[in-house]
Amino acid sequence: AQTSKTTTILAGLSYRLAEQPCPALWVMPSEALARSFSETRWLPMVDDCPTLAKEKPENTDKIKILEQHFRKMSLWFVGSNSPANLSSRSVSLLMLDEVDKFSDGTNSKEAGALQLAEARVATYPNHLVVSTSTPTTADSIIWAEWQKGDMRFYFVPCPHCGHKQKLIWERVKWDEKAKLEDGVYDFTMVKNTAFYECEECTKPIGDGHKTMMLREGEWRPTNPKGEPGRRSYHLNGLYPPWVTFGSLAVKFLQDKHSGIIGLQDFVNRVLAEPWMEHNQERVEIVPGTYKMGRLS
């Protein structure tokens, strides 16, 4: 969660509007959310960018909240809870935001929102479908979609040895002295001493190294048997430079203390993985032997 997924789609849509106009459809979990997003994020961005603003037609009535007809491109915003709107348009660019919260069609005669939306691109041989979401449970839609593709992870170099690796939660460590009696933790010490341990040289990687690591990182596919032409990307909460390893360590310990619901939130929103029954054991972390003052 909060790794700029939606902002990335906005950038891509902006490019299409300015350089490669085509019919486009943006689907969100509900119509209310789609309306709010279009009104508060998309349209203000169009007005603030001269290149996009000049694509607006002279007849301003053509630009509504949910239906917008620019000079060379039409764009619709719809909610997954509106089967009629999902089924009534043919587009070349389809953007599906937070698909794990989409309507699944269980209580209607229609197919699920994802299937209805994807049928809209059938008449365009060079169509593009972009799906994003934070995973939820074992039957997560986005997780299944991700596994169909080439399953790319972002590999970043260790600032000490240069070894490129994907960041995983099991390698986040903190001072073992932070654990007090009866399972109680000194959260200040946890936050101040947490670091990432390189899988190759085992040296500590601090928050200050993240920016350099991200700039020199690369996406690597890990599923050679994925569907040809389908790229899929996974990014967890350890990567954003504005989030520290210490704050994540504290969240993990607090969520773990609050029980299954807390752990599920950590697995979903921070690790970007679906919640499985075995997760309570998998996210058990052993504190490291790091001492304050070792980071370079």
Side-chain angles (χ1 to χ4, degrees):
Q2 300 302 311
T3 52
S4 301
K5 298 186 297 296
T6 300
T7 301
T8 301
I9 309 179
L10 274 173
L13 176 60
S14 300
Y15 175 82
R16 282 300 186 95
L17 175 58
E19 302 293 337
Q20 295 182 3
C22 64
L25 177 66
W26 190 309
V27 186
M28 303 194 83
S30 68
E31 183 174 311
L33 186 58
R35 181 180 295 276
S36 174
F37 178 81
S38 173
E39 188 173 17
T40 62
R41 292 191 62 180
W42 166 248
L43 288 177
M45 188 179 74
V46 170
D47 291 334
D48 288 343
C49 177
T51 301
L52 300 181
K54 72 178 184 180
E55 297 300 324
K56 296 179 70 173
E58 294 183 2
N59 182 358
T60 56
D61 289 338
K62 291 185 176 182
I63 302 295
K64 300 181 176 64
I65 301 299
L66 297 179
E67 184 170 334
Q68 301 160 15
H69 298 284
F70 294 92
R71 291 194 307 113
K72 300 177 182 178
M73 174 176 173
S74 292
L75 170 64
W76 295 271
F77 289 88
V78 304
S80 68
N81 57 346
S82 178
N85 286 333
L86 282 175
S87 306
S88 59
R89 297 170 178 85
S90 181
V91 297
S92 176
L93 174 62
L94 175 62
M95 297 151 290
L96 308 166
D97 202 5
E98 291 297 342
V99 298
D100 269 17
K101 297 180 176 64
F102 279 14
S103 169
D104 60 6
T106 302
N107 299 317
S108 71
K109 297 180 181 179
E110 298 277 2
L114 182 65
Q115 289 74 28
L116 289 174
E118 289 183 338
R120 300 304 93 211
V121 300
T123 57
Y124 288 87
N126 296 320
H127 63 261
L128 175 64
V129 179
V130 181
S131 304
T132 76
S133 188
T134 300
T136 51
T137 56
D139 57 352
S140 167
I141 296 174
I142 196 66
W143 196 252
E145 293 293 301
W146 180 71
Q147 291 178 317
K148 294 177 184 177
D150 57 11
M151 298 172 63
R152 298 181 179 222
F153 290 96
Y154 198 62
F155 284 71
V156 294
C158 170
H160 307 292
C161 68
H163 173 70
K164 287 191 173 181
Q165 58 204 287
K166 62 180 181 181
L167 300 184
I168 59 174
W169 177 245
E170 286 78 2
R171 303 208 69 83
V172 174
K173 313 289 183 180
W174 53 85
D175 195 328
E176 58 186 3
K177 293 181 180 179
K179 187 173 183 178
L180 309 177
E181 296 180 359
D182 301 323
V184 177
Y185 282 86
D186 181 337
F187 291 129
T188 299
M189 182 177 290
V190 170
K191 187 172 184 178
N192 291 337
T193 63
F195 66 99
Y196 190 90
E197 183 182 75
C198 173
E199 67 180 17
E200 182 69 16
C201 68
T202 70
K203 290 184 178 180
I205 298 173
D207 300 307
H209 295 127
K210 278 190 181 182
T211 301
M212 177 279 294
M213 295 166 66
L214 290 170
R215 286 175 177 167
E216 298 182 9
E218 61 182 9
W219 288 101
R220 292 182 181 177
T222 62
N223 180 24
K225 297 182 180 180
E227 180 182 329
R230 184 190 286 258
R231 294 190 177 190
S232 55
Y233 301 83
H234 182 276
L235 195 70
N236 62 41
L238 276 68
Y239 288 87
W242 56 85
V243 180
T244 66
F245 294 127
S247 64
L248 293 178
V250 170
K251 174 176 172 54
F252 165 72
L253 293 172
Q254 292 176 338
D255 286 351
K256 180 181 177 182
H257 179 73
S258 65
I260 296 298
I261 299 300
L263 276 177
Q264 179 173 352
D265 179 70
F266 186 85
V267 170
N268 290 161
R269 294 202 303 115
V270 176
L271 303 188
E273 297 176 2
W275 174 254
M276 308 288 188
E277 291 298 328
H278 63 275
N279 274 130
Q280 186 169 0
E281 296 179 1
R282 196 188 72 79
V283 294
E284 182 66 32
I285 304 298
V286 179
T289 57
Y290 166 74
K291 304 299 180 183
M292 293 183 66
R294 275 179 51 190
L295 290 182
S296 58

